[in-house]
Amino acid sequence: MAAHFEPPDVRSRMDALPAAPDGHAFYLRCPTPADEADYVADAIRSLVDGGVCRYRDVAVLLRSVSTSGPEFTRAFKERGIPYLVLGKIGLFRRPEAEALACLWVWCAGLSWWGTDGMRYEGDDLLDRARELWPEEIPEDLPELFRAYLLDGAYGDLIEAFYDLLAELGVGRWDPEDPGVAVRLANLGRLSRVIGDFQAAFRRGGRRARWNSVVRGLAWYLIGYASSGYAEQLPDPAPDADAVYLGTVHQAKGLEWPVVFRS
């Protein structure tokens, strides 16, 4: 029986948006990148403490997060300013995400280039993970997790990831704390990265040896964190009260009431 498809009439009247309120633009030259980052961080803190805006109303857009971002993340950490780094690459510039990547890469027996520009392998990966994770990692947890992981005790990668988070005590974190909310948001983004990899290797019903899957995910994380990847569009932002740190290629800047461009 033949069916006739009648496309809907998609022509509709376009209403003009109300004009944006008048704003202000300022130009500032700072002696060093560190001075610039400190000025921006102090300005953000002053605006938020003064009730002018929330952290989530502010974005800092740079030419490159790889080269300019470290000074800003340093300044934000020193002042307790919660922040989200836009894009998949930027995810691994958050300490909680890099810590878990180091743990997984250690389990796979590979090496990792840290956001500090240093190469980590072997037990140095564990030291790096302990340095970055916001709480103390139980002494025997990495060895136990690796044993379970490589023995195929988990049904899939996401199950292994969530079990690791549970053992690290993430379930006890207070989501009402702005800093914790940002950490949880980034762990959710990391979960999606792992899910993307898992969906790809399962496509077409393929079955792979578990140890090859574990090692493959480690290479995938290393590749995503590498500067060899092109800049990517930002992920949909979670509902977290945090400053957005990204590049001028990722956003126009009109998405936020307050924007600092470097």
Side-chain angles (χ1 to χ4, degrees):
M1 179 178 177
H4 178 67
F5 174 71
E6 185 68 32
D9 185 2
V10 297
R11 294 171 296 179
S12 59
R13 186 172 63 88
M14 298 179 66
D15 296 323
L17 292 175
D22 293 336
H24 302 280
F26 302 94
Y27 175 76
L28 177 71
R29 292 189 65 179
C30 295
T32 68
D35 291 328
E36 179 186 22
D38 288 334
Y39 173 85
V40 169
D42 287 337
I44 293 172
R45 196 58 188 265
S46 177
L47 289 170
V48 173
D49 290 348
V52 176
C53 64
R54 298 169 297 175
Y55 288 121
R56 64 181 302 173
D57 296 325
V58 182
V60 179
L61 302 180
L62 313 172
R63 286 185 292 274
S64 169
V65 172
S66 299
T67 58
S68 303
E71 286 292 355
F72 285 90
T73 58
R74 180 222 17 111
F76 293 162
K77 289 174 185 176
E78 289 177 356
R79 293 159 178 79
I81 297 175
Y83 66 94
L84 286 167
V85 185
L86 301 181
K88 294 270 192 339
I89 298 171
L91 169 62
F92 294 98
R93 298 191 173 277
R94 284 293 312 190
E96 59 275 4
E98 185 180 353
L100 293 186
C102 285
L103 277 175
W104 196 278
V105 170
W106 174 78
C107 289
L110 300 176
S111 61
W112 174 268
W113 282 97
T115 52
D116 59 357
M118 302 292 290
R119 183 171 177 265
Y120 296 91
E121 58 185 344
D123 288 343
D124 287 344
L125 281 164
L126 291 184
D127 293 338
R128 177 66 172 169
R130 294 183 189 280
E131 174 191 346
L132 294 171
W133 189 249
E135 296 181 352
E136 184 177 353
I137 296 177
E139 188 65 31
D140 60 346
L141 176 59
E143 290 285 356
L144 289 173
F145 177 70
R146 181 168 67 175
Y148 271 80
L149 184 66
L150 298 183
D151 285 346
Y154 297 107
D156 57 33
L157 297 173
I158 294 297
E159 179 187 345
F161 177 66
Y162 285 156
D163 185 62
L164 177 60
L165 294 184
E167 293 297 326
L168 287 169
V170 172
R172 298 190 298 271
W173 291 359
D174 178 13
E176 298 301 319
D177 182 300
V180 170
V182 171
R183 282 189 226 139
L184 292 174
N186 283 303
L187 294 179
R189 295 168 67 200
L190 181 55
S191 174
R192 290 199 297 274
V193 171
I194 295 172
D196 289 345
F197 172 80
Q198 181 162 270
F201 85 76
R202 282 182 171 176
R203 189 167 297 144
R206 291 182 297 169
R207 298 183 66 85
R209 290 182 302 166
W210 178 250
N211 283 7
S212 296
V213 173
V214 170
R215 193 175 175 88
L217 175 58
W219 278 116
Y220 190 66
L221 296 178
I222 292 167
Y224 251 134
S226 167
S227 60
Y229 272 74
E231 294 283 0
Q232 301 187 30
L233 294 176
D235 294 330
D239 187 18
D241 188 20
V243 173
Y244 294 85
L245 182 64
T247 72
V248 292
H249 311 291
Q250 293 173 316
K252 296 181 176 65
L254 301 177
E255 300 89 337
W256 299 275
V258 181
V259 177
F260 295 88
R261 296 187 61 170
S262 173

